[in-house]
Amino acid sequence: MAEVINMPRLSDTMEEGVVAKWLKQKGDKVEEGDILAEIETDKATMEFESFHEGTLLHIGIEEGETAPVDTLLAIIGEEGEDISGLLNGGGDAKEDKKEESSEAAGQDETESNDESDDSDIPEGVEVITMPRLSDTMEEGTVASWLKKEGDKVEEGDILAEIETDKATMEFESFYEGTLLKIGLEEGETAKVDSLLAIIGPEGTDVSNVSVDGKSKKKTSGKSEEKEEKSQETGSSSESSEKKSSGATKDGGRIFASPLAKKMAEDKGIDLSNVQGSGGNGRIVKKDIEDYEPSEKPAETKAAAKEDTAAAQPQPYVPAGEESFEEIKNSQMRKTIAKRLGESKFNAPHYYLTIEVDMANAMASRKQINEMPDVKVSFNDMVIKASAMALRKHPQVNSQWTGESMKIAKHIHMGVAVAVEEGLVVPVLKFADQMSMTQIGNNVKDVAGKARNKKLQPKDMEGSTFTVSNLGMFGIVEFTSIINQPNSAILSVGTIVEKPVVKNGEIVVGNTMKLTLACDHRTVDGATGAAFLKTLKTYMENPVTMLA
């Protein structure tokens, strides 16, 4: 019997996953324990193995697609087995995704059993609502209609120009038929999902079709009496033509979209020289992009050159092309943004900075690293010193829960590691019980796993304090956002050679700045300061950490 495999929850905080890569293809034989796919979670990209054997009959989520946990991922069963019942019952993930994207683009289809309709929608009739054309759009204004009631509409025809909160955009039809009703006149504003138009078979009665609860308002400020008069005299239609038209060289009108007009103005193109490819010869964006001015005769060019020389200097027009590269946010990047935002806005951060004399630390590290098979970094020394300081100041090793403050008796050090997709924080458990050499070996191990996307969720769980080091990038001093649910995070800067005062004399010294970000709900200023004082003692006298 076929087995349905859903998007797994591969971490405690995972809400959705991305199929980074399929290791099996539809029709392949699958053994129990085979790796089916690589799944990108909010923390890492992980291998997902099969717990069933058979043939891979169906792939529900293609590579690069995102889906919530428990969405249909794949179906494994006997070769040739009928799985139509499972697909219909489970709801194909790809179809769901298409429907969601359609809704996000404002292309909702009003269902025939919509309770908000005054009556059932006639067969073949499509209700078009005000689309959401930007992420912040809440309402839109009909700048101009390119079709009028009774016109034939083909799929892809531009119906209207919609003014959003960001721009005036062309809105095309996704249906074909006759424009039976216009729900919003030019200049009217309505909420997203308000009735915009109705398309269907010619002659269909749509007088009872509406979208309830959608109010309209006039942006022109005209009274109802003036509006009726405007409609009677046909002035509204004339003004709409003027909106989207200019004058050709022979006195005729030029029909152009607002975007095309703007582009032509920016490029210095005379619209009367452009051949429109839109309906009724209307000039659209593509016509401006493809426009090439015809070559002038040699005499005309010479005359133009003389005129230019005699003319006043022209204003500077910046040359270049504005462009963006759009990179889809990974699950890790989304989670980083969510978690750090929650931490920064919910936890009242404050910062304490000390400057540490690194002379003894540098000498001690040099002596330690002269031993065979031993390699200790300054970061390893900071982690060890922080762990030992937490033992003396346990309140810094705490969590805020709202109802209580939890002080951890164990010390698990989170170590921030930069990876291509963002930032991960693997955890060194019981770091206070490790030697500096053990800390160094463990940090190298987890950092390597992080960069090779081999970290497991258990490798990143349970931290009680975090260290973030940007010293290797030459950063002198910085502040970090607390890694929740920790109460503090230590920011480590680079070692700087500078003049310092020793025994009343100015000499060359080496110092390093450490900044502690604290959650004021759990760590008071005096508590944080006492922790840093102990940390400074350990760093300036490394022998005390070995005692």
Side-chain angles (χ1 to χ4, degrees):
M1 180 177 177
E3 297 287 348
V4 174
I5 300 171
N6 292 328
M7 174 66 74
R9 188 183 301 276
L10 296 174
S11 78
D12 54 340
T13 57
M14 178 178 171
E15 296 178 358
E16 60 182 12
V18 177
V19 177
K21 183 179 181 181
W22 278 101
L23 281 305
K24 295 288 185 180
Q25 302 300 320
K26 187 176 177 181
D28 285 357
K29 294 293 184 183
V30 178
E31 298 293 334
E32 185 176 344
D34 283 355
I35 305 299
L36 283 179
E38 292 179 353
I39 306 293
E40 182 185 339
T41 73
D42 57 337
K43 293 182 175 179
T45 300
M46 305 172 63
E47 295 178 338
F48 176 58
E49 67 181 58
S50 174
F51 296 96
H52 311 285
E53 61 179 30
T55 300
L56 184 55
L57 302 175
H58 176 75
I59 289 178
I61 305 171
E62 298 297 336
E63 289 185 1
E65 289 188 348
T66 304
V69 168
D70 294 332
T71 302
L72 175 62
L73 177 66
I75 298 177
I76 293 176
E78 296 180 5
E79 187 173 0
E81 185 175 352
D82 181 13
I83 58 171
S84 56
L86 295 175
L87 292 176
N88 294 333
D92 188 69
K94 295 197 321 188
E95 293 300 320
D96 291 345
K97 193 172 184 70
K98 288 178 183 176
E99 290 174 13
E100 289 172 7
S101 63
S102 176
E103 291 171 3
Q107 301 161 10
D108 298 354
E109 295 182 23
T110 303
E111 298 178 357
S112 60
N113 61 348
D114 192 337
E115 295 178 358
S116 66
D117 289 351
D118 294 336
S119 63
D120 291 338
I121 298 176
E123 184 178 354
V125 169
E126 300 290 349
V127 175
I128 300 172
T129 57
M130 175 64 74
R132 188 182 301 277
L133 297 174
S134 78
D135 54 345
T136 57
M137 178 179 172
E138 296 181 357
E139 60 182 16
T141 301
V142 177
S144 64
W145 279 101
L146 283 307
K147 297 287 185 180
K148 59 181 182 295
E149 288 188 6
D151 283 359
K152 294 291 185 183
V153 178
E154 299 292 333
E155 184 177 345
D157 283 355
I158 305 300
L159 284 180
E161 291 171 345
I162 306 294
E163 182 182 340
T164 73
D165 57 335
K166 294 182 176 178
T168 299
M169 304 172 67
E170 295 178 337
F171 176 60
E172 68 180 60
S173 174
F174 296 91
Y175 311 103
E176 60 180 32
T178 300
L179 183 55
L180 302 174
K181 180 177 179 179
I182 288 178
L184 292 172
E185 297 298 331
E186 291 181 355
E188 285 187 336
T189 300
K191 297 288 186 183
V192 169
D193 295 333
S194 298
L195 176 62
L196 182 63
I198 299 176
I199 293 177
E202 186 176 3
T204 305
D205 180 13
V206 293
S207 57
N208 292 327
V209 178
S210 66
V211 177
D212 291 345
K214 307 295 182 183
S215 61
K216 299 184 290 184
K217 63 180 179 182
K218 296 291 289 183
T219 57
S220 60
K222 295 180 181 179
S223 65
E224 292 182 6
E225 181 180 350
K226 288 183 179 179
E227 183 184 349
E228 290 173 2
K229 184 177 179 181
S230 173
Q231 291 173 351
E232 289 172 3
T233 59
S235 62
S236 63
S237 63
E238 291 176 7
S239 64
S240 69
E241 287 181 1
K242 291 177 182 177
K243 276 184 194 176
S244 60
S245 66
T248 60
K249 292 179 179 177
D250 59 3
R253 287 184 180 136
I254 300 173
F255 291 89
S257 70
L259 179 58
K261 287 181 182 179
K262 180 68 168 58
M263 292 175 63
E265 182 180 349
D266 292 343
K267 294 184 176 184
I269 297 174
D270 185 351
L271 288 175
S272 63
N273 294 327
V274 181
Q275 181 67 40
S277 61
N280 299 320
R282 185 165 175 272
I283 299 171
V284 294
K285 173 186 175 184
K286 185 176 184 298
D287 300 324
I288 302 299
E289 291 176 336
D290 296 343
Y291 174 72
E292 293 183 5
S294 57
E295 286 293 324
K296 297 180 181 179
E299 293 180 3
T300 307
K301 287 183 179 178
K305 188 173 181 180
E306 292 176 4
D307 292 342
T308 303
Q312 293 294 327
Q314 296 298 311
Y316 170 69
V317 178
E321 181 179 350
E322 294 182 350
S323 63
F324 297 90
E325 179 185 3
E326 186 169 331
I327 301 174
K328 185 178 179 181
N329 289 330
S330 66
Q331 294 303 107
M332 184 183 295
R333 177 59 63 185
K334 290 178 185 177
T335 303
I336 290 172
K338 179 181 177 183
R339 297 290 162 73
L340 294 185
E342 290 173 351
S343 176
K344 186 66 174 178
F345 302 135
N346 292 334
H349 286 52
Y350 73 93
Y351 307 95
L352 302 171
T353 301
I354 59 170
E355 192 166 17
V356 178
D357 183 350
M358 294 295 289
N360 289 336
M362 294 172 71
S364 297
R365 176 175 178 263
K366 183 178 180 181
Q367 290 178 347
I368 292 171
N369 287 345
E370 286 175 354
M371 298 171 62
D373 302 323
V374 174
K375 187 72 173 177
V376 171
S377 69
F378 290 114
N379 194 55
D380 301 333
M381 300 175 79
V382 171
I383 293 173
K384 178 63 176 178
S386 298
M388 294 182 66
L390 286 173
R391 185 58 69 197
K392 291 194 174 184
H393 304 277
Q395 194 164 334
V396 181
N397 198 45
S398 61
Q399 299 177 6
W400 175 264
T401 65
E403 298 298 326
S404 63
M405 180 170 65
K406 295 169 62 177
I407 298 178
K409 299 296 184 182
H410 56 280
I411 296 173
H412 291 350
M413 301 292 292
V415 182
V417 176
V419 294
E420 186 176 347
E421 295 86 354
L423 188 73
V424 294
V425 186
V427 179
L428 303 184
K429 296 187 176 179
F430 307 107
D432 59 316
Q433 300 176 24
M434 296 181 187
S435 66
M436 279 188 278
T437 305
Q438 290 172 321
I439 289 173
N441 291 336
N442 280 290
V443 168
K444 289 176 185 175
D445 181 52
V446 294
K449 285 183 178 179
R451 296 188 181 98
N452 293 324
K453 299 182 179 180
K454 297 297 183 183
L455 280 177
Q456 298 297 311
K458 60 183 177 63
D459 297 327
M460 296 177 282
E461 296 172 354
S463 68
T464 60
F465 184 88
T466 305
V467 173
S468 179
N469 190 340
L470 291 178
M472 66 282 290
F473 298 107
I475 302 301
V476 176
E477 181 182 1
F478 68 103
T479 59
S480 300
I481 298 175
I482 296 170
N483 179 34
Q484 294 286 326
N486 299 174
S487 288
I489 182 170
L490 186 70
S491 304
V492 183
T494 191
I495 297 175
V496 177
E497 188 177 51
K498 58 184 285 189
V500 297
V501 177
K502 285 188 178 181
N503 301 321
E505 296 181 352
I506 297 176
V507 297
V508 176
N510 291 275
T511 66
M512 179 174 69
K513 288 189 176 181
L514 302 174
T515 299
L516 185 69
C518 304
D519 184 341
H520 218 320
R521 297 173 300 181
T522 51
V523 182
D524 295 328
T527 304
F531 169 83
L532 284 178
K533 183 178 180 181
T534 302
L535 177 61
K536 180 181 172 76
T537 299
Y538 283 134
M539 289 300 299
E540 291 185 342
N541 303 280
V543 67
T544 59
M545 290 190 282
L546 304 175

